[in-house]
Amino acid sequence: MEDDFDFPTGANLEDVDMDIPEEEDDAISPGPMKVGDEKELGKSGLKKKLIKQGEGWETPGSGDEVQVHYTGTLLDGTKFDSSRDRGTPFKFSLGQGQVIKGWDEGIKTMKKGENAIFTIPPELAYGESGSPPTIPPNATLQFDVELLSWTSVKDICKDGGVIKKILTEGEKWENPKDLDEVFVKYEARLEDGTLVSKSDGVEFTVEDGYLCPALAKAVKTMKKGEKVHLTVKPQYGFGEAGRLAAGDEGAVPTNATLGITLELVSWKTISDVTKDKKVLKKALKEGEGYERPNDGAVVQVKMVGKLHDGTIFTKKGHGTEPFEFKIDEEQVIDGLDRAVKSMKKGEVALVTIQPEYAFGSSESTQELAIVPANSTVYYEVELVSFVKEKESWDMNTQEKIEAAGKKKEEGNALFKAAKYERASKRYEKAVRYIEYDSSFSDDEKQQAKVLKITCNLNDAACKLKLKKYKEAEKLCTKVLELDSRNVKALYRRAQAYIQLVDLDLAELDIKKALEIEPNNKDVKLEYKLLKEKVREYNKKDAQFYGNIFAKMSKHDPVPMTIDSTA
């Protein structure tokens, strides 16, 4: 065997007919293997025998730069090549056609430090041509391969525009999101090595980006402490325009490819608490564990509230005792209430709250200053501790019924105060307490049934007020499954159907309600409304389709009819 044997790459295989369908990664996975096991990978005859287990669970992916030691032999044991004999590991990019296909498919199943023997059929090796003079035509080969290490290389944008090569692995598994503020170090150079920009520490919001589009795209794929090298094509750099030199920043020529070394030092997580970007929470200090307050939890906090100009309008909990309040009881402004509910014990956060979730369009006098109308306010909050409201799984059956009754009464009070969204939440929680009643006694099941009917009916009334008609219809249907002659459920479902323009279904419910209670004034009034709706829709239909019907038939359009007897 000659020492300068050049391991054949994809370029050496141009005349080899390898009409083999592409296999999906999971299609060739051998699954769990023990030392000594041999399994076939895919359906092309490639086999893997495990000699030594690897570390962890990760395996290299397409594009990764892998480093291996190997020995290649024919089936009769004749050795034709060995990196071990040369004393130098072999490096190549996986899945890029730089090696025979059997290698690309086999090595991507290996873990770091793993040693395996691959038996590779000619179709996945050198085919009919072989590789003279060492490998004959149609030869099945065996490779004893040890995966020493690999460097992850990813095509971030899936178009070759930003190629990321990991130099130092990061910690944990989280990546920054668009709203987060990242702190990075970077160095950007042209292909000839000319330095064009450098920073030993800069902070920016991911969605706003920095320097060039590639930085924001890259940091979203990185972990804390990760260091990478980016190869950046012009479309993700400075494009056709390039950039003029300014101060310490160098010029970037038109259509220049950049090499950027980037380190994600840390980031501050910013959460969109209300999902409309009107209450944003920036974590300044991570909290403990994973539990957070629930509705009804008693929380203890330290907090300072400021205006945009830095004026402090409130400061609570910084004396001998923390400030205490109950979640979802309107004891603090809505935005602060929601933000604290999303925190963990010990967490410190800066909360930015827009007027809709703060003091609104009215001026508000606070203990240390006046908050002007339409003010965005800022709170620095520390969640010192909290006691969660007891959950249903911690209660016995009687406690569940009592808790459901309490939530129902709270919902009733909120409904009377026209706070329909909050009332609805109370009714829903009441039903959750008693939803599963298999362990209840017969008497408790009856109590639970009455509560379910009342709460779902009242919740349906909330949904009608909130114009959530489909939800109202579903709640009424639940009631009717328990009590098919419940007039309020029929009446409210008919109201929902009318708004959903299901007029036939509305008529059925109203007629059934009137069969049960012929003198019910509310139902009669709703029937009158239904008739008006039918006439209105018939008139619109007649106008819309009149010309079409006139051409198609001499007969007048047939209007929708309902039973006029009530």
Side-chain angles (χ1 to χ4, degrees):
M1 191 75 255
E2 296 183 26
D3 289 342
D4 62 351
F5 184 91
D6 184 19
F7 190 89
T9 66
N12 300 95
L13 306 177
E14 289 176 357
D15 1 343
V16 179
D17 181 13
M18 295 200 302
D19 187 20
I20 305 295
E22 288 290 323
E23 298 275 4
E24 296 295 327
D25 283 5
D26 56 356
I28 69 161
S29 172
M33 292 181 70
K34 298 176 182 178
V35 171
D37 285 354
E38 184 173 41
K39 292 187 178 181
E40 186 168 349
L41 306 181
K43 300 177 181 178
S44 301
L46 174 64
K47 294 180 181 178
K48 173 183 177 180
K49 183 176 182 179
L50 185 64
I51 305 301
K52 187 182 85 171
Q53 291 281 8
E55 305 168 11
W57 55 271
E58 292 185 318
T59 56
S62 182
D64 289 354
E65 295 180 358
V66 300
Q67 182 170 245
V68 301
H69 262 316
Y70 70 91
T71 300
T73 62
L74 303 178
L75 286 181
D76 63 7
T78 302
K79 181 166 64 173
F80 57 83
D81 188 25
S82 174
S83 66
R84 295 182 177 96
D85 291 349
R86 293 192 294 274
T88 304
F90 177 62
K91 298 179 182 179
F92 69 98
S93 293
L94 190 62
Q96 306 302 302
Q98 296 179 3
V99 293
I100 58 174
K101 191 167 184 179
W103 268 48
D104 272 337
E105 294 192 355
I107 291 174
K108 69 182 176 182
T109 70
M110 299 181 73
K111 304 180 180 74
K112 183 179 179 181
E114 183 178 320
N115 187 191
I117 294 175
F118 293 99
T119 301
I120 304 177
E123 295 83 4
L124 300 181
Y126 299 97
E128 295 180 359
S129 303
S131 183
T134 55
I135 300 174
N138 294 313
T140 295
L141 309 179
Q142 285 192 326
F143 285 92
D144 182 330
V145 181
E146 181 182 2
L147 178 56
L148 302 175
S149 64
W150 75 85
T151 301
S152 181
V153 178
K154 301 297 180 189
D155 181 357
I156 292 175
C157 302
K158 308 300 182 188
D159 60 2
V162 182
I163 303 297
K164 183 184 85 168
K165 179 178 179 180
I166 296 179
L167 305 178
T168 305
E169 290 287 344
E171 306 169 10
K172 300 183 180 179
W173 54 270
E174 300 101 328
N175 307 117
K177 304 294 188 294
D178 282 336
L179 293 175
D180 294 345
E181 291 181 0
V182 295
F183 184 74
V184 304
K185 296 178 182 178
Y186 74 89
E187 192 173 281
R189 296 180 181 271
L190 302 178
E191 286 183 291
D192 64 5
T194 302
L195 182 68
V196 294
S197 185
K198 179 180 179 180
S199 175
D200 290 326
V202 64
E203 189 172 65
F204 63 92
T205 301
V206 174
E207 69 178 354
D208 293 339
Y210 190 80
L211 185 68
C212 65
L215 255 64
K217 293 187 178 296
V219 296
K220 288 172 70 174
T221 70
M222 295 172 69
K223 302 169 187 171
K224 182 180 178 182
E226 186 174 320
K227 189 174 182 180
V228 303
H229 181 271
L230 306 175
T231 301
V232 181
K233 296 297 183 184
Q235 66 267 34
Y236 296 102
F238 293 92
E240 293 183 3
R243 188 187 72 174
L244 296 175
D248 294 335
E249 299 286 292
V252 178
T254 183
N255 290 320
T257 295
L258 300 174
I260 302 176
T261 303
L262 175 66
E263 180 182 355
L264 177 56
V265 179
S266 62
W267 78 84
K268 296 185 180 80
T269 301
I270 298 181
S271 307
D272 182 2
V273 175
T274 49
K275 309 303 180 190
D276 57 7
K277 297 186 178 180
K278 293 183 177 180
V279 180
L280 300 178
K281 184 192 73 171
K282 181 199 295 188
L284 304 179
K285 178 189 167 189
E286 288 293 324
E288 306 168 13
Y290 62 92
E291 287 206 325
R292 294 176 170 86
N294 58 356
D295 285 340
V298 176
V299 299
Q300 292 187 322
V301 301
K302 295 178 182 179
M303 67 181 196
V304 177
K306 297 180 182 180
L307 301 177
H308 186 68
D309 63 4
T311 301
I312 296 175
F313 61 84
T314 187
K315 184 174 183 179
K316 294 180 177 179
H318 289 270
T320 56
E321 295 290 331
F323 173 61
E324 186 174 284
F325 68 93
K326 198 171 185 179
I327 296 289
D328 198 35
E329 290 291 344
E330 297 187 317
Q331 295 175 4
V332 295
I333 59 171
D334 190 24
L336 181 61
D337 198 73
R338 294 178 187 227
V340 171
K341 186 183 173 185
S342 73
M343 295 173 70
K344 301 173 186 175
K345 181 181 177 182
E347 182 177 334
V348 179
L350 179 63
V351 185
T352 302
I353 306 173
Q354 293 195 21
E356 296 91 324
Y357 294 94
F359 298 98
S361 57
S362 303
E363 180 179 279
S364 178
T365 302
Q366 298 298 298
E367 59 265 31
L368 300 179
I370 293 173
V371 178
N374 298 310
S375 290
T376 295
V377 293
Y378 308 84
Y379 285 85
E380 185 169 317
V381 187
E382 178 184 354
L383 179 54
V384 178
S385 65
F386 62 90
V387 178
K388 294 179 75 170
E389 183 171 77
K390 203 170 185 180
E391 298 284 6
S392 61
W393 52 81
D394 293 322
M395 299 178 180
N396 61 38
T397 54
Q398 195 53 47
E399 285 176 328
K400 289 178 183 179
I401 291 171
E402 289 171 4
K406 183 180 177 184
K407 290 298 172 189
K408 183 199 78 172
E409 294 305 323
E410 290 175 7
N412 291 349
L414 289 164
F415 187 90
K416 289 173 184 175
K419 296 176 180 178
Y420 305 119
E421 194 77 59
R422 295 185 64 228
S424 175
K425 285 171 65 178
R426 293 296 197 279
Y427 294 132
E428 286 166 5
K429 190 157 189 177
V431 171
R432 284 199 298 272
Y433 281 129
I434 53 176
E435 193 167 9
Y436 304 106
D437 58 5
S438 58
S439 61
F440 288 21
S441 68
D442 290 343
D443 182 53
E444 287 170 339
K445 284 181 179 179
Q446 185 57 37
Q447 292 178 61
K449 179 180 176 181
V450 172
L451 279 167
K452 284 179 192 175
I453 289 172
T454 303
C455 290
N456 281 328
L457 275 174
N458 292 354
D459 196 8
C462 292
K463 300 301 186 189
L464 289 170
K465 292 286 188 181
L466 295 166
K467 299 184 178 180
K468 296 179 179 179
Y469 303 117
K470 194 67 185 173
E471 292 179 42
E473 178 262 318
K474 288 179 180 178
L475 287 163
C476 292
T477 299
K478 284 184 179 181
V479 172
L480 291 166
E481 287 169 357
L482 295 172
D483 177 8
S484 62
R485 293 176 61 81
N486 190 291
V487 171
K488 281 187 179 178
L490 291 165
Y491 167 61
R492 287 176 187 164
R493 191 168 71 171
Q495 288 181 300
Y497 281 144
I498 288 171
Q499 296 302 323
L500 293 167
V501 201
D502 278 335
L503 303 184
D504 289 340
L505 293 175
E507 181 187 8
L508 288 172
D509 278 355
I510 288 174
K511 288 172 72 175
K512 185 170 182 180
L514 288 173
E515 285 175 12
I516 300 165
E517 291 186 15
N519 297 319
N520 189 304
K521 293 181 180 178
D522 289 333
V523 179
K524 283 186 171 183
L525 187 62
E526 201 66 26
Y527 204 9
K528 184 179 179 182
L529 174 63
L530 174 62
K531 291 176 183 177
E532 290 172 359
K533 285 281 185 185
V534 170
R535 282 193 289 270
E536 179 185 333
Y537 280 103
N538 279 334
K539 185 177 180 181
K540 286 181 180 178
D541 284 349
Q543 289 172 346
F544 186 77
Y545 292 109
N547 292 335
I548 297 173
F549 287 150
K551 292 176 183 178
M552 292 175 62
S553 171
K554 294 180 181 180
H555 300 289
D556 292 333
V558 180
M560 183 188 299
T561 59
I562 61 168
D563 188 346
S564 59
T565 60

